[in-house]
């Protein structure tokens, strides 16, 4: 008769740090490998950096030349913000990229009657860009104040592992409409890209060249190269000659019109579009996007800390990072990127896919962003990769970030009906409410909030279009009101509490201490 299994054989004890990561936040691969990995992060960041201006600039009345300049400016500011965040912010290996959260208030500004009545497209583009800049500059104060005053650190005291699960999970799951729906716009390159990336990164990950797992480390760049060449072959052979215009736009490699319109060298500079204009209604609507960016980034920072094999960022470190992100949004407004900034979820997912969470790699990728934003033609070459190729990779990387959020459940008691209720309702509403707002907007051409006060409409429609924001409101409210006094252990608070303060865990100093001995002037709390 077989012996009964031991408890350790049928359960897995909770672990502060993930297993199997090759390089953590402060350990670095060789310089050659780090530069190649940094270039890979740069290529991945191009997807969103090109998609957002490609969507917004034509609506603003801009030309292809304007679109290229906005893409270059966005990449330049991304590089600066990423360096600032990795050096002085949370110090986590996170790329600070353009944010979709700002699209709702930006579109509202584009459709403002004072701007739509301008007949000259170029003048309308410049006037709209200046209005967006003014709104971003004012709205950035929200994150700057919440971050540097440590107010966000105080708010984070109400977070528990259970309350954070839906927020982190929906930072990935909530972007499902940027995944296969976009990849499916050109199935013949989207599906092969997805399959090839999974084969290279997972099934062939043990293939080594000179003791380096090249397939796992560089699956992204290799699969993009193969599928990009395949897409170019289809374009050159005339495979899309008789297809509808929409299909050609998504599938062809020669329709981006970026390379021909990009200048050889162009240095973005503050106020390059002219002096910003300020409107209280525009600024108030933009503040909602800044709050959404703050919440989405909070979840992303916690996911990045886990994939970089670091401890969860202490409250004051998280608040410091939000403050620097506010500075980043201020830069976005000064330079004119047409959107604000947030943590790039896809780049957080790539940390897990490559198993390299090194801070140096991300700083090198920031260098590539700045370098190629100045050399327009070279940057435009990489930026002309068709969107379905990026979207196919997002299907993997967004899912990976979401699963990191779910991994926080191990610190909670999931045999508790209270916890099951909170986790389930938060996840469901976090997906369902934004989907309602999306469907309503698509059908009615305006959001469910549709009063005479435009700023109020923008505020509500922006907040409730964000899955992590809805999830945070629901989960944190329920977690702090439902039997919370008797459920500290069930919520995972005994594990979480030691990471709240800088000195609560000895590893925090290793991961989050400021460089250049700056902690003397800004002592951790």
């Amino acid at each position: 008769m077989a012996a009964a299994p031991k408890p350790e054989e049928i359960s897995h004890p909770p672990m502060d740090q993930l297993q199997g990561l090759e390089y953590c936040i402060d350990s670095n691969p060789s310089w050659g490998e780090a530069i190649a990995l940094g270039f890979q992060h740069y290529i991945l960041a191009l997807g969103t950096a090109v998609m957002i201006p490609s969507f917004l600039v034509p609506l603003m009345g801009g030309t292809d030349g304007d679109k290229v300049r906005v893409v270059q400016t966005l990449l330049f500011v991304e590089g600066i913000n990423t360096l600032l965040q990795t050096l002085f912010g949370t110090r986590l290996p996170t790329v600070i990229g353009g944010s979709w959260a700002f699209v709702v208030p930006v579109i509202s500004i584009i459709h403002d009657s004072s701007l739509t009545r301008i007949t000259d497209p170029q003048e309308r583009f410049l006037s709209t860009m200046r209005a967006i800049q003014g709104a971003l500059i004012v709205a950035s104060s929200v994150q700057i104040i919440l971050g540097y005053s440590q107010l966000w650190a105080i708010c984070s005291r109400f977070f528990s592992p259970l309350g954070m699960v839906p927020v982190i999970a929906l930072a990935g799951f909530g972007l499902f409409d940027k995944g296969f729906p976009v990849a499916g716009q050109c199935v013949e390159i989207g599906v092969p890209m997805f399959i090839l990336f999974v084969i290279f990164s997972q099934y062939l990950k043990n293939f080594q060249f000179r003791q380096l797992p090249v397939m796992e480390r560089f699956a992204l760049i290799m699969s993009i190269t193969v599928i990009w060449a395949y897409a170019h072959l289809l374009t050159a052979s005339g495979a899309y000659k008789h297809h509808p215009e929409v299909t050609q736009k998504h599938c062809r490699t020669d329709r981006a019109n970026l390379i021909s319109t990009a200048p050889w060298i162009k240095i973005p500079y503050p106020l390059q579009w002219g002096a910003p204009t300020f409107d209280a209604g525009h600024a108030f609507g933009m503040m909602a996007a800044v709050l959404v960016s703050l919440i989405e980034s909070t979840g992303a920072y916690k996911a990045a800390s886990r994939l970089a094999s670091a401890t969860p960022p202490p409250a004051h470190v998280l608040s410091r990072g939000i403050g620097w992100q506010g500075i980043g949004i201020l830069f976005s407004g000064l330079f004119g990127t047409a959107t604000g900034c947030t943590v790039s979820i896809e780049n957080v997912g790539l940390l897990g896919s490559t198993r390299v969470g090194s801070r140096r790699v991300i700083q090198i990728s920031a260098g590539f962003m700045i370098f190629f934003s100045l050399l327009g033609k070279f940057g435009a070459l990489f930026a002309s990769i068709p969107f379905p190729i990026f979207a196919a990779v997002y299907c993997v990387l967004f899912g990976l970030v979401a699963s990191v959020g779910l991994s926080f459940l191990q610190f909670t008691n999931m045999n508790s009906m209270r916890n099951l209720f909170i986790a389930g309702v938060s996840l469901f509403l976090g997906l369902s409410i934004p989907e309602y707002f999306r469907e309503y907007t698509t059908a009615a051409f305006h959001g469910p909030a549709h009063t005479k006060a435009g700023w109020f409409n923008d505020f509500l429609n922006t907040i409730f279009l964000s899955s992590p924001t809805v999830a945070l409101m629901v989960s944190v409210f329920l977690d702090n009101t439902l039997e919370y006094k008797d459920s500290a252990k069930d919520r995972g608070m005994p594990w979480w509490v030691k990471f709240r303060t800088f000195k609560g865990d000895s590893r925090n100093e290793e991961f989050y201490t400021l460089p250049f001995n700056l902690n003397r002037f800004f002592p951790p709390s």
Side-chain angles (χ1 to χ4, degrees):
M1 184 175 170
K6 298 174 183 177
E8 60 269 21
E9 292 175 338
I10 57 173
S11 64
H12 304 278
M15 297 182 69
D16 289 350
Q17 293 169 301
L18 292 173
Q19 294 175 300
L21 295 169
E22 290 283 323
Y23 297 97
C24 70
I25 186 171
D26 52 0
S27 63
N28 302 307
S30 66
W31 276 104
E33 189 180 347
I35 289 169
L37 285 164
F39 182 71
Q40 193 167 235
H41 274 277
Y42 158 71
I43 290 292
L44 183 61
L46 277 175
T48 302
V50 176
M51 279 185 206
I52 294 177
S54 296
F55 174 62
L56 292 175
V57 171
L59 297 177
M60 296 160 66
T63 62
D64 285 334
D66 295 324
K67 180 175 73 174
V68 168
R69 278 189 68 191
V70 174
V71 170
Q72 283 182 279
T73 305
L74 181 53
L75 276 172
F76 183 77
V77 173
E78 275 186 26
I80 292 172
N81 289 340
T82 299
L83 279 178
L84 290 173
Q85 190 63 242
T86 53
L87 282 171
F88 309 116
T90 59
R91 307 214 71 219
L92 286 165
T94 50
V95 170
I96 307 300
S99 171
W100 288 98
F102 291 81
V103 168
V104 172
V106 166
I107 288 178
S108 180
I109 292 171
I110 291 170
H111 290 146
D112 189 290
S113 58
S114 63
L115 296 167
T116 53
R117 69 169 69 105
I118 300 173
T119 52
D120 179 35
Q122 188 61 24
E123 183 57 37
R124 182 159 62 88
F125 167 75
L126 290 172
S127 298
T128 306
M129 178 62 85
R130 291 169 194 156
I132 294 167
Q133 286 182 264
L136 282 170
I137 289 168
V138 174
S140 67
S141 61
V142 172
Q143 280 195 15
I144 293 171
I145 293 168
L146 285 174
Y148 290 125
S149 69
Q150 293 293 312
L151 278 170
W152 190 240
I154 295 168
C155 293
S156 70
R157 295 182 186 279
F158 295 97
F159 302 161
S160 70
L162 179 67
M164 281 291 100
V165 165
V167 181
I168 303 169
L170 292 184
F173 286 145
L175 292 165
F176 67 89
D177 59 321
K178 306 290 186 294
F180 203 82
V182 178
Q185 289 172 345
C186 188
V187 175
E188 50 266 50
I189 60 174
V191 172
M193 178 65 201
F194 173 77
I195 293 170
L196 204 61
F197 182 62
V198 170
I199 289 173
F200 283 175
S201 66
Q202 302 302 317
Y203 290 95
L204 298 178
K205 65 182 178 183
N206 294 322
F207 175 82
Q208 296 196 345
F209 178 73
R210 294 183 180 176
Q211 297 185 318
L212 177 70
V214 287
M215 288 295 190
E216 181 180 51
R217 287 281 192 281
F218 306 110
L220 179 80
I221 202 77
M222 287 192 291
S223 52
I224 281 182
T225 303
V226 172
I227 300 300
W228 193 16
Y230 166 64
H232 194 71
L233 188 66
L234 288 175
T235 302
S237 65
Y240 301 114
K241 196 172 287 183
H242 304 295
H243 281 65
E245 185 61 32
V246 176
T247 305
Q248 297 199 36
K249 178 186 168 187
H250 295 301
C251 297
R252 292 180 68 107
T253 56
D254 57 359
R255 284 300 170 91
N257 206 19
L258 294 173
I259 301 171
S260 59
T261 50
W264 281 102
I265 296 177
K266 182 73 179 178
I267 301 175
Y269 56 91
L271 310 183
Q272 59 187 337
W273 311 105
T277 56
F278 298 93
D279 180 278
H282 295 166
F284 197 81
M286 198 67 80
M287 285 179 186
V290 170
L291 285 171
V292 167
S293 161
L294 181 154
I295 291 166
E296 291 177 350
S297 295
T298 298
Y301 286 133
K302 292 186 184 295
S305 68
R306 202 145 168 73
L307 289 170
S309 206
T311 53
H316 97 278
V317 171
L318 185 64
S319 211
R320 184 176 76 196
I322 294 301
W324 276 106
Q325 195 169 294
I327 298 288
I329 295 171
L330 177 63
F331 284 159
S332 298
L334 289 171
F335 280 83
T337 61
T339 185
C341 63
T342 191
V343 176
S344 171
I345 300 296
E346 55 267 35
N347 289 88
V348 173
L350 191 59
L351 300 177
S353 176
T354 57
R355 295 197 295 143
V356 177
S358 166
R359 184 190 294 126
R360 179 184 290 171
V361 167
I362 300 300
Q363 290 170 337
I364 290 170
S365 79
F368 277 117
M369 290 175 206
I370 294 170
F371 178 74
F372 282 116
S373 66
L374 302 180
L375 297 178
K377 292 285 187 192
F378 292 101
L381 172 65
F382 299 119
S384 63
I385 299 169
F387 294 153
I389 290 180
F390 288 111
V393 179
Y394 294 166
C395 293
V396 176
L397 301 182
F398 289 162
L400 194 53
V401 172
S403 64
V404 170
L406 297 178
S407 75
F408 277 78
L409 288 172
Q410 68 185 300
F411 307 112
T412 68
N413 176 14
M414 288 315 288
N415 290 315
S416 157
M417 280 305 301
R418 172 195 180 275
N419 287 5
L420 290 172
F421 175 84
I422 293 171
V425 170
S426 304
L427 283 166
F428 185 83
L429 288 181
L431 285 169
S432 193
I433 291 176
E435 183 61 20
Y436 163 72
F437 272 70
R438 262 191 294 271
E439 287 185 5
Y440 192 107
T441 305
T442 304
F445 299 107
H446 60 76
H450 188 56
T451 66
K452 290 182 180 178
W455 59 267
F456 178 76
N457 302 336
D458 292 345
F459 198 90
L460 283 187
N461 291 330
T462 301
I463 291 287
F464 289 105
L465 265 171
S466 166
S467 290
T469 307
V470 173
L472 181 124
M473 291 190 292
V474 176
S475 66
V476 171
F477 175 78
L478 291 175
D479 195 34
N480 287 279
T481 55
L482 273 178
E483 307 166 18
Y484 70 98
K485 287 184 179 177
D486 305 320
S487 55
K489 190 175 178 182
D490 285 352
R491 299 163 66 201
M493 293 309 287
W495 172 78
W496 189 264
V497 73
K498 63 181 177 180
F499 300 121
R500 279 184 169 179
T501 58
F502 193 81
K503 295 178 180 176
D505 191 289
S506 58
R507 294 167 292 178
N508 288 339
E509 188 173 348
E510 175 191 351
F511 301 139
Y512 299 114
T513 299
L514 289 170
F516 317 122
N517 212 10
L518 287 173
N519 273 46
R520 286 183 306 166
F521 308 105
F522 306 100
S525 54

